[in-house]
Amino acid sequence: MAEKSSIVSMAEIAKQSGVSLSTVSLVLNQKPGIPHETRRKVLHAAQSLGYQRKPKASVHKREQSPQIRKLGVFVKSQDDDPIPPTSNVFYSQVLAGIEENCRFHNLLLMLSAVRVDSDSFPLETPRLMLNDAIDAVLLVGIRVNEMFGTALEQIGLPTVLVDVRNDKGNFDSVVIKNFEAGYKIANYLIEQGHRHIAFLGGYENSHPSF
């Protein structure tokens, strides 16, 4: 009966958001490949309808996978940067997406800026990581060197990097699809009749978004 109730709710979400039931299922199960605007529409419809996602039954105990209730989001900040990270045209959208999903999954989001050097390596270990105030970490635009990677592993919080490569440590990372995006942009220019196309990119160790 509980499963049927969940399907009905997903059907209502599909109707309100104007997408297919399969698209709703992909969004609610956090699957990749859904455009940001479509994902936002589905999550907004789900929230407005009061959809409650039911936890999957499991025979395994959760001691090795503790429930995450408080998420620490750390964004890079440079002293000479006139634009705060929350106002940055790129990171503001990333943070908006994080906040939207935290609200949908009833997670408490704790946002903090972290000072970094010119190569985006942190100049400090955020105190928020050290006092059991959070259950997991998102590092937005902050690169991990050997020293910081060791500190993160000792702290032992689940950590995901956003917009940086996983250079040091065993961390998952979320980065831009540069190859796919470059292909689409170049293909568009070629379709418009352009033949002399210049590419201006970052240096070898720059952020993947460059």
Side-chain angles (χ1 to χ4, degrees):
M1 184 62 103
E3 184 65 25
K4 184 177 180 181
S5 174
S6 177
I7 294 174
V8 170
S9 295
M10 288 172 61
E12 291 174 355
I13 295 169
K15 182 178 179 180
Q16 179 156 323
S17 57
V19 301
S20 67
L21 188 60
S22 61
T23 298
V24 172
S25 177
L26 290 172
V27 172
L28 295 181
N29 287 290
Q30 303 177 53
K31 301 296 183 182
I34 304 298
H36 172 74
E37 182 60 26
T38 301
R39 189 180 298 275
R40 187 196 66 78
K41 229 178 356 180
V42 170
L43 291 175
H44 178 74
Q47 184 181 23
S48 65
L49 290 170
Y51 175 80
Q52 292 286 331
R53 184 177 173 184
K54 302 221 173 4
K56 294 181 180 180
S58 174
V59 296
H60 300 290
K61 294 183 179 180
R62 295 182 57 87
E63 281 82 359
Q64 295 181 344
S65 180
Q67 187 172 7
I68 295 174
R69 298 183 182 276
K70 296 171 291 184
L71 178 65
V73 179
F74 301 91
V75 191
K76 74 169 187 174
S77 176
Q78 292 175 311
D79 293 336
D80 59 350
D81 190 349
I83 304 176
T86 52
S87 300
N88 180 286
V89 67
F90 176 74
Y91 287 124
S92 61
Q93 295 187 55
V94 173
L95 294 173
I98 294 171
E99 193 275 334
E100 185 174 42
N101 278 275
C102 284
R103 187 169 62 248
F104 177 73
H105 292 287
N106 296 317
L107 298 179
L108 175 64
L109 185 155
M110 304 182 75
L111 177 66
S112 177
V114 175
R115 292 191 309 117
V116 298
D117 61 20
S118 58
D119 292 318
S120 296
F121 290 118
L123 297 173
E124 58 193 356
T125 299
R127 293 182 179 178
L128 199 58
M129 291 183 184
L130 305 175
N131 57 8
D132 297 326
I134 55 177
D135 303 316
V137 173
L138 283 184
L139 297 176
V140 182
I142 300 172
R143 299 176 67 188
V144 177
N145 54 19
E146 186 173 352
M147 181 177 65
F148 191 52
T150 300
L152 288 172
E153 290 174 353
Q154 289 176 344
I155 293 169
L157 292 173
T159 301
V160 176
L161 313 181
V162 180
D163 191 42
V164 288
R165 296 184 184 91
N166 185 8
D167 296 325
K168 301 290 182 182
N170 186 25
F171 307 113
D172 290 327
S173 59
V174 180
V175 295
I176 288 175
K177 292 183 176 180
N178 282 319
F179 185 88
E180 180 181 336
Y183 173 83
K184 289 181 177 180
I185 293 170
N187 192 55
Y188 172 79
L189 293 173
I190 292 170
E191 288 177 347
Q192 300 304 308
H194 301 289
R195 293 296 179 267
H196 302 285
I197 301 171
F199 169 72
L200 303 179
Y203 54 90
E204 183 179 0
N205 294 322
S206 63
H207 278 287
S209 52
F210 290 101

